Amino acid sequence: MPRLKRLRFVIAAGVVFALAAAVVYQVRRPRFDMVATLAQFAAREGVWDNQWDKIDEKLAELRAGLSTERDPSRRFALKREIATHALYQGDADAAIQTLEEMLREYASSLPPRLAETVKADLAFAHLRRGETENCAEHHTSASCLFPIQGEGVHQLKRGSTEAVRLYGELLSDPKTDPENALSYRWLLNLGYQTLGQYPDHVPPQWLIPPEAFQSEYDIGRFPEEAAKRGIVEFGAAGGLILEDFDNDGHLDVMISHMGLTDQLEYFHNNGDGTFTRMTEQAGLKGLVGGLNMVQTDYNNDGCIDVFIPRGAWRHDSGKLPPSLLRNNCDGTFTDVTAQAGLLSYYPTQTATWADINNDGYVDLFVGYEIDKRVDWPPGTKNSQLYLNNGNGTFTEVGAASGIQLEGMVKGASWGDYDNDGWPDLYVSILGGRNRLFRNLGTSRGGMPKFADVTAQAGVAEQLVSFTTWFWDYNNDGWPDIFVSGYSATLSNLVREYIGQQAQATGEKPRLYRNNKDGTFTDVSQSVGLDKLLLTMGANFGDLDNDGFLDFYVGTGQPNLSVLIPNRMFRNAEGKAFQDVTTSGGFGHLQKGHAVAFGDIDNTGNQDVVEVMGGVYPSDKFWTALYKNPGHGNHWVKLHLVGVKANRLGVGARIRMVLKAPDGTRREVFSTVSSGGSFGASSLRPHLGLGQSTNIELLELKWPGSGTVQTFQGLAADQTYEIREDQPAAKPITAGAKVSARATK
């Protein structure tokens, strides 16, 4: 063989060998196993690593300590801890026994304030016994719906009977702390409700009158139908996505819970508004944890993917990986977190998607709970910003983009507040000032740059906030900002119900109206939202299809005794918000978390789904579904197919011109998103039209590409598929299979 030919052969053979070796290496290299990794984290968790978990083990250690402790004051503290943790575990009988022993043992030596504390603990333990026996273990659709009445009245009355007796004694005692008395008064009234004796049997001096709970508008009763519809899910605080995952035209449900061993659950819509649990069939077995979830289509294949942030509220024991679940378009999901470049280990529940550099692919912001109470290593990040590379992977560019944050990030939302075509970012900080970052724009697909405009925009409040979102609440074409408050005691919440609003302190929500000049005005008080809501999960939708966005807040705190109703607010033509909690039957007393609005049975009316449950084992509860009775207004739904823009049109701006029967015209505006920052509604828009039977004009501005489409004369009460590359909107039958893939 000639020398040159031999050299070429050797080189070619070497290349082939190198390629073969690379292939073998790729095959042999272990892939990241999310299920195994999460199982390892759960197995390694120590008894006291996290206050929410391993209550049995905590109780065992506390009882062991008590058995050897001789100091009276320390024994007192240990016994109270044992009673508290018994309630956390759900053993009200053990808590009651311990507290009764304490009252007998220390009766002559306890100072008045400590005696009150133990007696109040005992009263609540009895109330909790009744709550567990009736609401959780013998659940009905009326269980724990405030005000409690009808089927919600307890059948087993021993718990509440003893509770109201003890609360009556506490309220009658002149030595009782006046601030605590407000909480006892509230729980006394709740106790009488559970006995079916409210308001007639409540002593007049302690009665909170029924008028205090009346709605400001009758929205009509939304019956709770989760179990009836097949969503039978009992768990701790968690996330929720209401979305059509298999493109069959029906909204499915995905639910997560925060516990390290809490299985992610998937409920497939059977096509008639009932659901079948299909978690294992979807390939989700072993994927656990996650206080929140958000959906997107990160790879533009027309099938909706899921991102699950983990570790929230766990501080430095919450260094858990998130999950990016790729929808395989065949009814299954695959965890692709590591190969996508999204693997990290910071505690979080906050993530939000948008195409921030207008290249046709959605990007991801994740905010972390970096609490000052933890000694985090220098350089620990409070957030990360991931640019989509368009090939299934992401690149982190947070520092280079100009987004810099401090504090515990609890909520984040993208929105184009200045209508310049570039998504801006609002971030809610628990215990610090909130931040608004303006997207300065870039070349299409380039490195995005952001400027902190919080001060000039005037949107830094509150100092303790949680859920947040952009929306156009008054239909003027300019996105406004809502951010909830998360600081209030039960006594101050009670003050608002008994007419002492001026004395009720705590963090209230902010509704920032867009002034169309880069600034905002806080209009919370003028629109009727100057209230203590203690919001955790929340979202918005259009309950009555009138074209104005309403919202629902899940309320509560980890403290078991904070039993306050979740609350619904109706938007009255963009001028005010009306509390419709009791008229609609939305006032659940259990801890409210992720919320989503969506039409589960294609009747044209948006229903409401909420993940209920707190953080302790005994505070788990059943997911709720409130079925919309309908209000006689019209609607339209859209299935968007982006071609140059991202596939689902996330961030697309919609403007409708409507003509009412009396000839008056108005505009309705909407942006394609999943809604609030805790709970995810469908990315397929559902728009209320009021009494209008058709749409004179529908204008759609696609994100990124800048494509603008207009459609005239679309009929009401219809679903349309709109493709970015097609001039006509295509009517599709409710429940029909919709387009999955679009060529980029």
Side-chain angles (χ1 to χ4, degrees):
M1 182 182 295
R3 182 178 178 183
L4 181 58
K5 191 173 183 179
R6 185 183 301 114
L7 180 60
R8 288 174 177 168
F9 175 80
V10 170
I11 292 172
V15 171
V16 170
F17 177 80
L19 289 172
V23 170
V24 170
Y25 174 75
Q26 290 291 335
V27 171
R28 290 182 178 176
R29 184 175 61 181
R31 298 184 59 134
F32 181 84
D33 188 331
M34 182 63 75
V35 170
T37 300
L38 294 173
Q40 290 169 4
F41 273 102
R44 292 199 302 262
E45 185 181 38
V47 174
W48 298 96
D49 284 351
N50 189 272
Q51 67 190 97
W52 323 121
D53 294 343
K54 297 186 177 292
I55 305 300
D56 280 338
E57 292 90 336
K58 288 181 172 70
L59 275 169
E61 291 193 13
L62 289 168
R63 285 168 175 152
L66 181 65
S67 67
T68 60
E69 183 59 64
R70 295 294 175 263
D71 181 82
S73 61
R74 291 176 184 165
R75 284 182 60 81
F76 178 89
L78 277 170
K79 284 190 174 184
R80 188 166 183 233
E81 277 298 306
I82 288 169
T84 299
H85 279 79
L87 276 187
Y88 290 161
Q89 188 59 15
D91 191 349
D93 289 340
I96 290 168
Q97 180 181 345
T98 300
L99 292 164
E100 288 177 340
E101 289 174 356
M102 291 174 67
L103 285 175
R104 288 193 297 269
E105 181 179 353
Y106 298 96
S108 60
S109 60
L110 280 179
R113 188 57 53 86
L114 275 181
E116 177 195 328
T117 297
V118 177
K119 194 169 188 177
D121 287 350
L122 180 60
F124 183 72
H126 281 288
L127 192 69
R128 191 69 179 182
R129 172 196 267 169
E131 186 182 349
T132 301
E133 288 179 337
N134 292 272
C135 294
E137 295 175 0
H138 297 88
H139 181 66
T140 72
S141 61
S143 293
C144 282
L145 287 181
F146 180 86
I148 297 168
Q149 54 194 350
E151 290 185 358
V153 172
H154 290 185
Q155 299 302 305
L156 302 175
K157 300 182 184 297
R158 60 173 182 164
S160 290
T161 299
E162 188 64 11
V164 298
R165 183 186 71 81
L166 290 167
Y167 282 126
E169 290 182 1
L170 285 164
L171 288 165
S172 299
D173 190 339
K175 295 188 293 293
T176 292
D177 185 301
E179 189 72 11
N180 294 338
L182 288 166
S183 298
Y184 304 154
R185 182 178 176 183
W186 175 260
L187 295 170
L188 176 84
N189 279 262
L190 285 185
Y192 276 109
Q193 287 182 16
T194 65
L195 294 171
Q197 298 175 2
Y198 173 89
D200 297 339
H201 290 73
V202 182
Q205 67 271 33
W206 303 320
L207 175 67
I208 301 176
E211 295 77 28
F213 313 130
Q214 286 183 350
S215 289
E216 297 165 334
Y217 177 90
D218 186 0
I219 194 67
R221 189 78 175 183
F222 284 60
E224 199 287 297
E225 296 186 355
K228 175 181 176 181
R229 298 279 174 167
I231 301 178
V232 182
E233 179 63 11
F234 185 79
L240 168 69
I241 300 173
L242 186 57
E243 188 58 270
D244 182 4
F245 286 107
D246 57 358
N247 288 323
D248 67 353
H250 302 283
L251 296 179
D252 310 301
V253 172
M254 191 175 287
I255 297 171
S256 67
H257 302 288
M258 67 182 293
L260 289 183
T261 59
D262 292 343
Q263 173 64 49
L264 177 68
E265 299 289 356
Y266 174 59
F267 293 87
H268 178 259
N269 193 321
N270 300 321
D272 59 359
T274 67
F275 297 82
T276 299
R277 190 188 305 265
M278 297 187 68
T279 303
E280 292 194 44
Q281 296 93 320
L284 299 174
K285 190 68 175 177
L287 291 171
V288 295
L291 184 58
N292 194 17
M293 298 186 292
V294 287
Q295 82 277 40
T296 194
D297 181 3
Y298 78 95
N299 55 0
N300 283 332
D301 64 356
C303 300
I304 292 179
D305 315 298
V306 175
F307 184 77
I308 308 174
R310 293 188 177 94
W313 291 120
R314 293 178 177 270
H315 307 296
D316 52 348
S317 68
K319 298 174 183 177
L320 305 173
S323 278
L324 177 63
L325 305 182
R326 184 187 66 212
N327 188 331
N328 299 319
C329 298
D330 61 1
T332 68
F333 296 82
T334 299
D335 191 299
V336 296
T337 313
Q339 66 195 69
L342 295 180
L343 197 60
S344 63
Y345 294 89
Y346 295 115
T348 177
Q349 68 166 54
T350 304
T352 182
W353 296 88
D355 181 3
I356 63 174
N357 61 353
N358 287 343
D359 65 350
Y361 290 90
V362 288
D363 312 295
L364 175 66
F365 172 85
V366 185
Y368 300 121
E369 298 185 355
I370 307 304
D371 194 336
K372 293 179 180 178
R373 290 173 291 182
V374 173
D375 187 18
W376 291 95
T380 298
K381 299 178 179 179
N382 290 74
S383 66
Q384 290 182 306
L385 180 64
Y386 293 98
L387 277 189
N388 194 326
N389 298 323
N391 60 0
T393 69
F394 295 79
T395 299
E396 207 285 312
V397 298
S401 73
I403 294 177
Q404 295 183 358
L405 289 167
E406 293 182 359
M408 192 173 182
V409 180
K410 292 302 294 182
S413 181
W414 294 104
D416 183 7
Y417 80 92
D418 52 1
N419 284 338
D420 67 352
W422 298 94
D424 312 299
L425 179 67
Y426 189 74
V427 181
S428 168
I429 306 292
L430 188 72
R433 294 193 175 277
N434 300 329
R435 309 286 286 280
L436 176 62
F437 293 94
R438 180 173 179 261
N439 191 332
L440 301 178
T442 181
S443 59
R444 191 168 191 258
M447 172 64 71
K449 295 291 184 180
F450 292 85
D452 187 334
V453 295
T454 310
Q456 47 268 54
V459 292
E461 300 294 336
Q462 314 87 343
L463 295 180
V464 185
S465 61
F466 206 142
T467 311
T468 188
W469 59 71
F470 283 95
W471 63 343
D472 188 353
Y473 83 93
N474 57 355
N475 279 324
D476 66 354
W478 292 80
D480 313 294
I481 297 172
F482 176 88
V483 57
S484 69
Y486 195 64
S487 176
T489 62
L490 180 56
S491 57
N492 279 302
L493 290 159
V494 175
R495 282 190 171 96
E496 291 197 330
Y497 281 108
I498 62 175
Q500 298 178 7
Q501 289 89 345
Q503 291 77 42
T505 60
E507 292 285 11
K508 299 178 180 180
R510 299 288 191 272
L511 178 61
Y512 290 112
R513 187 189 63 210
N514 195 324
N515 296 327
K516 309 177 187 180
D517 61 359
T519 69
F520 293 79
T521 297
D522 178 7
V523 296
S524 308
Q525 188 168 8
S526 64
V527 300
L529 293 180
D530 188 31
K531 307 173 189 292
L532 293 172
L533 298 182
L534 204 59
T535 307
M536 296 184 293
N539 216 324
F540 59 87
D542 191 349
L543 290 178
D544 50 6
N545 280 330
D546 67 349
F548 289 93
L549 295 171
D550 318 301
F551 73 99
Y552 187 47
V553 296
T555 62
Q557 281 181 339
N559 188 334
L560 297 181
S561 66
V562 180
L563 291 169
I564 55 175
N566 293 247
R567 298 173 75 173
M568 180 72 81
F569 292 89
R570 176 183 179 266
N571 187 336
E573 299 182 341
K575 301 171 184 176
F577 284 87
Q578 301 161 328
D579 190 325
V580 296
T581 302
T582 53
S583 68
F586 298 110
H588 215 299
L589 287 170
Q590 295 297 318
K591 306 299 193 300
H593 283 89
V595 175
F597 286 67
D599 181 3
I600 65 164
D601 52 2
N602 285 322
T603 61
N605 302 298
Q606 287 192 321
D607 312 299
V608 182
V609 185
E610 182 178 22
V611 174
M612 311 299 302
V615 295
Y616 294 110
S618 67
D619 223 11
K620 293 181 178 180
F621 208 75
W622 305 94
T623 293
L625 188 160
Y626 301 99
K627 190 71 192 70
N628 195 322
H631 298 82
N633 286 328
H634 300 286
W635 53 272
V636 67
K637 299 182 192 179
L638 304 178
H639 288 272
L640 304 183
V641 183
V643 179
K644 293 181 180 179
N646 72 82
R647 166 60 181 79
L648 294 179
V650 174
R653 304 291 295 275
I654 301 166
R655 179 175 74 95
M656 297 188 301
V657 179
L658 307 176
K659 183 179 180 181
D662 63 3
T664 59
R665 286 179 171 81
R666 66 184 178 109
E667 294 181 311
V668 171
F669 295 85
S670 182
T671 300
V672 178
S673 76
S674 61
S677 62
F678 196 165
S681 301
S682 176
L683 295 171
R684 276 66 184 256
H686 179 136
L687 307 167
L689 308 179
Q691 289 296 303
S692 301
T693 56
N694 65 22
I695 303 169
E696 284 201 346
L697 175 71
L698 187 151
E699 178 184 82
L700 179 62
K701 294 182 179 180
W702 289 88
S705 66
T707 303
V708 178
Q709 292 176 298
T710 57
F711 308 92
Q712 294 180 330
L714 298 183
D717 305 332
Q718 178 64 268
T719 302
Y720 293 92
E721 180 177 284
I722 297 179
R723 289 183 59 97
E724 188 181 6
D725 60 351
Q726 298 293 329
K730 174 186 174 184
I732 56 177
T733 304
K737 193 80 173 179
V738 298
S739 299
R741 300 180 185 273
T743 303
K744 292 295 289 184

